[in-house]
Amino acid sequence: MALSIGRNVKSLFRFIPRNNYHSVLYKAQKSIGTTSSHEERVFSGIQPTGVPHLGNYLGALESWVALQGKYSSVMYSIVDLHSITQPQDPQLLRENILDMVASLLACGIDPTRSILFQQSQVSEHAELSWILGCLTSMPRLTHLPQWKMKSKQKNEGSVGLYTYPVLQAADILLYKSTHVPVGEDQIQHLELAQDLARIFNNQYGEFFPEPRALLSSTQKVKSLRDPSSKMSKSDPQRLATVFLTDTPDDIVLKLRRAVTDFNSKVTYEPESRPGVSNLVAVHAAVSGQTVEEVVRSADGLDTGQYKNVVAEAVVQKLKPIQQEIQRLRADRGHLESLLTEGAEKARCLAAPVMMEVRKRVGFC
């Protein structure tokens, strides 16, 4: 429904003066029929940090692809505003945005079944973030994990980093999203979005739905060098992380060097044997088998032999994705046009929401 509204509304704007754009858009969408407050909508975002790693793919992107078939309205944003809470090289950021678009498409995100767009191209995100920030207390933000973790790492933190969760809430509420796929480490940030929806509704009248979490059933992929930590792009150990564009030789090397323990038997015991259990979880996820099936199939193999089996399964899983990323990267213009189209669709949904927010707050 959202996509058809976007296309229908777009044709109305050819001769509309720029300063009347938002008011006409609001009226147009009301006449066509906007998304009701009860219609289910999924929203999630990912930072443009270049090509995703195996943990991103198995822990989030596979479920993103599946959600396109389960919900009628799905939105995925490349959240570049969030990325500049840390210093960024402008040219590298531009490249990383396009690399992320190519990666998402290669993994199965389909712009005909979801809206894929760049956050900074929809200015309403920043506007709603300011309004929600004025409803948020400083102690509430201080206790959130993002600020605690990142400010300790840098011994200081920017205002942008401090208010990062408010922008996350704005991202979600701007589209009146009802469901948000998140990891367990992001639950507290989603709770802030729920709180801000309630605060806004209590102060200005019922308007925003309270978004619910969609938790992934996939176990979080751990670092290959430190299975007590999750796999991360920022890990200083090169062998700790498998990227979607790693060569087969690199994948084999990283998995052969994966930390396990002195017991050579293949078992799944996450608490007592996190290293080998991480390999079992990865093998199960890339092969489509259960953990129990994977462990049975590894009977008689020692962990050294089993690492080769896991490496081959990962190589085969990533091969078509790598080929598609390579193909998409070669057509920069296509990727940019997809972002432009996605931003237009997103603005068609964001503009009427912000018009109503402005009215309720008293700006117009």
Side-chain angles (χ1 to χ4, degrees), residues 214-275:
L214 292 174
L215 290 172
S216 173
S217 58
T218 304
Q219 292 289 326
K220 197 175 293 294
V221 177
K222 305 295 186 180
S223 163
L224 298 180
R225 301 302 299 163
D226 177 11
S228 66
S229 303
K230 69 178 182 179
M231 188 172 283
S232 170
K233 291 181 182 179
S234 59
D235 197 311
Q237 299 192 68
R238 188 182 70 85
L239 299 179
T241 304
V242 173
F243 291 92
L244 296 191
T245 51
D246 278 350
T247 66
D249 287 345
D250 282 339
I251 293 171
V252 170
L253 174 63
K254 290 178 179 182
L255 285 161
R256 280 180 178 172
R257 298 283 183 86
V259 170
T260 51
D261 52 41
F262 295 109
N263 185 343
S264 63
K265 188 175 176 60
V266 177
T267 64
Y268 185 74
E269 302 169 70
E271 295 299 321
S272 59
R273 305 190 67 203

Side-chain angles (χ1 to χ4, degrees), residues 47 82 85 146 159-169 186 189:
Q47 287 200 34
H82 289 290
T85 57
Q146 184 76 21
V159 174
L161 179 63
Y162 189 70
T163 59
Y164 179 109
V166 180
L167 180 56
Q168 275 189 324
Q186 288 290 318
H189 287 182

Side-chain angles (χ1 to χ4, degrees), residues 138-156:
M138 293 177 68
R140 182 74 171 85
L141 297 181
T142 304
H143 290 95
L144 290 172
Q146 184 76 21
W147 173 254
K148 285 183 176 180
M149 179 181 66
K150 293 288 180 68
S151 60
K152 282 182 181 178
Q153 290 174 353
K154 301 290 184 182
N155 295 319
E156 60 181 20

Side-chain angles (χ1 to χ4, degrees), residues 351-363:
V353 172
M354 275 312 305
M355 279 297 296
E356 183 62 24
V357 168
R358 293 186 198 107
K359 286 171 59 180
R360 291 182 182 231
V361 171
F363 292 162

Side-chain angles (χ1 to χ4, degrees), residues 24-310:
V24 175
L25 173 59
Y26 180 66
K27 292 174 183 176
Q29 282 207 319
K30 283 197 74 175
S31 67
I32 294 172
T34 58
T35 302
S36 74
S37 59
H38 301 294
E39 182 179 349
E40 293 183 323
R41 170 168 292 142
V42 173
F43 178 93
S44 195
I46 188 167
Q47 287 200 34
T49 50
V51 174
H53 57 67
L54 185 63
N56 297 141
Y57 175 64
L58 297 178
L61 301 184
E62 273 200 321
S63 65
W64 282 20
V65 172
L67 289 171
Q68 295 177 123
K70 295 179 181 177
Y71 292 87
S72 60
S73 183
V74 180
M75 304 185 72
Y76 296 130
S77 180
I78 297 172
V79 289
D80 50 343
L81 293 177
H82 289 290
S83 70
I84 62 170
T85 57
Q86 304 294 326
Q88 299 285 338
D89 175 80
Q91 183 56 40
L92 182 59
L93 179 58
R94 294 184 193 101
E95 294 302 320
N96 283 345
I97 289 168
L98 295 182
D99 275 350
M100 183 57 73
V101 176
S103 299
L104 294 177
L105 295 174
C107 288
I109 299 303
D110 182 352
T112 67
R113 302 168 67 205
S114 58
I115 298 177
L116 175 63
F117 70 102
Q118 185 178 336
Q119 179 193 32
S120 64
Q121 293 184 4
V122 183
S123 61
E124 286 86 350
H125 284 259
E127 184 179 0
L128 182 57
S129 179
W130 176 259
I131 293 171
L132 296 179
C134 294
L135 302 177
T136 311
S137 71
M138 293 177 68
R140 182 74 171 85
L141 297 181
T142 304
H143 290 95
L144 290 172
Q146 184 76 21
W147 173 254
K148 285 183 176 180
M149 179 181 66
K150 293 288 180 68
S151 60
K152 282 182 181 178
Q153 290 174 353
K154 301 290 184 182
N155 295 319
E156 60 181 20
S158 68
V159 174
L161 179 63
Y162 189 70
T163 59
Y164 179 109
V166 180
L167 180 56
Q168 275 189 324
D171 297 336
I172 295 164
L173 298 181
L174 180 59
Y175 303 100
K176 304 182 87 170
S177 309
T178 57
H179 295 80
V180 183
V182 293
E184 291 183 3
D185 57 341
Q186 288 290 318
I187 286 292
Q188 285 184 280
H189 287 182
L190 181 59
E191 288 173 348
L192 176 65
Q194 294 168 337
D195 290 345
L196 286 172
R198 283 193 292 269
I199 292 169
F200 186 95
N201 292 346
N202 289 338
Q203 189 160 334
Y204 298 111
E206 194 69 25
F207 185 62
F208 290 119
E210 291 182 27
R212 289 177 284 171
L214 292 174
L215 290 172
S216 173
S217 58
T218 304
Q219 292 289 326
K220 197 175 293 294
V221 177
K222 305 295 186 180
S223 163
L224 298 180
R225 301 302 299 163
D226 177 11
S228 66
S229 303
K230 69 178 182 179
M231 188 172 283
S232 170
K233 291 181 182 179
S234 59
D235 197 311
Q237 299 192 68
R238 188 182 70 85
L239 299 179
T241 304
V242 173
F243 291 92
L244 296 191
T245 51
D246 278 350
T247 66
D249 287 345
D250 282 339
I251 293 171
V252 170
L253 174 63
K254 290 178 179 182
L255 285 161
R256 280 180 178 172
R257 298 283 183 86
V259 170
T260 51
D261 52 41
F262 295 109
N263 185 343
S264 63
K265 188 175 176 60
V266 177
T267 64
Y268 185 74
E269 302 169 70
E271 295 299 321
S272 59
R273 305 190 67 203
V276 70
S277 297
N278 186 41
L279 295 178
V280 169
V282 168
H283 189 192
V286 300
S287 65
Q289 301 177 77
T290 66
V291 165
E292 293 76 16
E293 288 170 338
V294 163
V295 171
R296 281 197 299 270
S297 70
D299 187 36
L301 299 178
D302 61 33
T303 51
Q305 295 168 320
Y306 182 62
K307 288 177 182 180
N308 291 327
V309 173
V310 178

Side-chain angles (χ1 to χ4, degrees), residues 325-363:
I325 289 175
Q326 186 175 5
R327 185 188 70 81
L328 289 163
R329 275 174 160 176
D331 191 350
R332 183 188 180 103
H334 174 63
L335 299 177
E336 290 173 340
S337 68
L338 284 177
L339 286 179
T340 299
E341 292 171 11
E344 289 176 358
K345 294 172 184 176
R347 279 193 293 268
C348 283
L349 297 174
V353 172
M354 275 312 305
M355 279 297 296
E356 183 62 24
V357 168
R358 293 186 198 107
K359 286 171 59 180
R360 291 182 182 231
V361 171
F363 292 162

